[in-house]
């Protein structure tokens, strides 16, 4: 069970597992057992090397679901992302087609329906995962606009004899943004300065030119998502829950070449669902991966209440 006793809480995680263990079965197994121990309701996974929708890759993906005790869906093409979910909490009603141009590792998105809800009052949510470009700020900027599509899905519901339209709230998009948060909270680990990144190629990968000869660190994807109503749950939790700065801890360690520790791994949710965020933490994965895991604890009852009170779109 992914719910926590006596409360309708569940956990959402975003995990970039470096090359899915890079063929090291013991490391792969250790990571999956670690993830299983978190009792997750939703898991957003990047770098699923070796998984596929057919053949031996499918068998490996199915093995991961058994260990995690979660159902899952892979994104399209090679180097897929994946979304897993607890089938006791959610029913999948749609796997999105995300074969969008301009992605090396395509996003995955599913529409999930909360179980245990009365017929006629279904609560549907979007869960997704994205891995933005490692080397190209302009491509990340474009990809961030693609991610905003997760928040722009209109569905029709029949209620009291009338058909109304609503946009589905985004429960979570777990992302390796390969870029920086735009609005660090007070005392959060600061965004690196360009001169702190010694590797010249990485300087180019993590910054962009504004005028000739002037470069700024890339936080544009974060700003784009914010404009579209998708909020960084870590930032919210740091400011509004007892999580404090633990919610915005770095997810990547400092490196001689890549500069100071930073936080490229983030979970985004629709702004209207922020009151359901109870806690956010970063769980260290040293020895297993080069990225730590972001875990958000959410209140399912609050999510249901918010969705039921969501006004329909204007005609």
């Amino acid at each position: 069970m992914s719910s926590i006793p006596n409360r309708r809480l569940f956990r959402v995680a975003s995990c970039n597992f470096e090359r899915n263990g890079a063929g090291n079965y013991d490391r792969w197994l250790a990571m999956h057992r670690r993830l299983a121990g978190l009792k997750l309701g939703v898991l957003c996974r990047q770098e699923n090397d070796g998984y596929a929708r057919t053949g031996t890759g499918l068998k490996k993906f199915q093995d991961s679901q058994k260990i995690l005790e979660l159902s899952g869906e892979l994104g399209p093409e090679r180097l897929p992302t994946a979304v897993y979910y607890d089938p006791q909490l959610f029913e999948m009603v749609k796997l999105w087609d995300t074969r969008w141009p301009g992605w090396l590792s395509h996003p995955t998105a599913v529409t999930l329906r909360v179980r245990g809800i009365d017929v006629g009052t279904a609560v549907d949510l979007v869960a997704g995962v994205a891995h933005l470009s490692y080397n190209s700020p302009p491509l990340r900027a474009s990809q961030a606009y693609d991610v905003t599509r997760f928040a722009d899905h209109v569905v029709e519901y029949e209620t009291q004899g009338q058909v109304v339209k609503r946009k589905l709230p985004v429960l979570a998009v777990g992302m390796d943004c390969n870029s920086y948060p735009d609005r660090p909270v007070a005392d959060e680990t600061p965004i690196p300065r360009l001169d702190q990144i010694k590797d010249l190629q990485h300087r180019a990968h993590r910054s962009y030119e504004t005028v000739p000869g002037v470069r700024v660190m890339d936080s544009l994807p974060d700003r784009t998502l914010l404009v579209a109503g998708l909020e960084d749950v870590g930032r919210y939790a740091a400011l509004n829950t007892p999580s404090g700065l633990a919610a915005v801890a770095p997810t990547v360690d400092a490196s001689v070449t890549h500069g100071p520790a930073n936080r490229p791994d983030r979970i985004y949710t629709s702004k209207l669902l922020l009151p359901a965020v109870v806690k956010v933490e970063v769980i260290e994965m040293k020895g297993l991966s080069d990225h730590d895991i972001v875990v958000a604890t959410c209140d399912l009852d609050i999510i249901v209440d918010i969705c039921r009170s969501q006004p329909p779109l204007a005609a």
Side-chain angles (χ1 to χ4, degrees):
M1 286 288 291
S2 60
S3 57
I4 298 173
N6 302 322
R7 295 189 65 182
R8 291 260 287 176
L9 302 185
F10 68 99
R11 297 185 181 98
V12 179
S14 183
C15 171
N16 181 335
F17 179 26
E18 185 179 14
R19 296 185 57 202
N20 208 21
N24 184 322
Y25 178 76
D26 290 340
R27 184 182 301 148
W28 178 90
L29 184 61
M31 173 61 92
H32 282 77
R33 286 175 172 170
R34 186 79 181 275
L35 289 168
L38 296 175
K39 302 298 182 184
L40 298 170
V42 175
L43 171 61
C44 311
R45 275 273 282 112
Q46 303 94 17
E47 297 201 20
N48 293 289
D49 298 37
Y51 291 169
R53 291 181 173 179
T54 58
T56 59
L58 175 60
K59 174 63 166 56
K60 291 177 181 177
F61 183 54
Q62 291 170 336
D63 288 345
S64 75
Q65 295 176 65
K66 291 176 184 176
I67 296 171
L68 296 169
E69 298 184 3
L70 300 173
S71 299
E73 295 291 341
L74 279 177
E77 312 298 340
R78 58 187 296 272
L79 301 177
T81 56
V83 174
Y84 298 81
Y85 58 93
D86 182 347
Q88 296 184 61
L89 288 181
F90 302 106
E91 171 193 0
M92 193 193 75
V93 296
K94 177 183 178 182
L95 172 63
W96 291 38
D97 183 356
T98 53
R99 291 173 294 182
W100 302 330
W103 290 82
L104 177 63
S105 181
H106 286 72
T108 306
V110 294
T111 301
L112 298 177
R113 180 163 295 164
V114 179
R115 291 193 181 275
I117 302 297
D118 295 338
V119 175
T121 57
V123 173
D124 293 343
L125 304 158
V126 178
V129 57
H131 193 172
L132 302 190
S133 171
Y134 174 81
N135 63 290
S136 174
L139 188 51
R140 286 195 295 270
S142 173
Q143 291 170 340
Y145 282 104
D146 280 344
V147 173
T148 68
R149 295 167 70 168
F150 296 155
D152 198 34
H153 184 51
V154 178
V155 294
E156 292 184 347
Y157 291 97
E158 185 172 343
T159 176
Q160 297 179 342
Q162 292 183 322
V163 175
V164 298
K165 294 182 179 181
R166 291 190 177 93
K167 288 188 177 182
L168 290 185
V170 173
L171 171 62
V173 183
M175 296 178 62
D176 178 352
C177 298
N178 275 318
S179 53
Y180 305 105
D182 185 61
R183 302 172 297 156
V185 302
D187 298 322
E188 179 180 351
T189 301
I191 294 174
R193 301 189 313 272
L194 195 63
D195 63 2
Q196 292 177 302
I197 298 177
K198 304 306 180 185
D199 184 272
L200 297 183
Q201 291 73 42
H202 199 65
R203 284 189 186 185
H205 296 166
R206 291 296 184 270
S207 64
Y208 59 89
E209 195 170 60
T210 53
V211 296
V214 178
R215 300 190 71 85
V216 298
M217 306 310 289
D218 184 17
S219 60
L220 183 55
D222 190 49
R223 295 200 299 278
T224 297
L225 297 175
L226 177 65
V227 169
L230 293 170
E231 293 268 358
D232 171 6
V233 299
R235 185 178 193 277
Y236 172 83
L239 296 172
N240 297 280
T241 78
S243 304
L245 290 176
V248 290
T251 61
V252 173
D253 291 337
S255 161
V256 173
T257 55
H258 286 31
N262 60 97
R263 190 169 68 92
D265 303 278
R266 301 188 287 276
I267 297 173
Y268 290 86
T269 191
S270 288
K271 184 174 183 179
L272 80 165
L273 296 185
L274 285 174
V277 176
V278 175
K279 176 183 179 181
V280 175
E281 57 193 313
V282 174
I283 298 178
E284 185 177 293
M285 289 291 130
K286 191 168 293 185
L288 291 176
S289 183
D290 57 346
H291 289 246
D292 293 331
I293 295 175
V294 183
V295 179
T297 302
C298 302
D299 190 313
L300 188 59
D301 290 328
I302 292 178
I303 289 172
V304 170
D305 288 345
I306 290 171
C307 291
R308 283 178 163 171
S309 63
Q310 182 186 5
L313 295 174

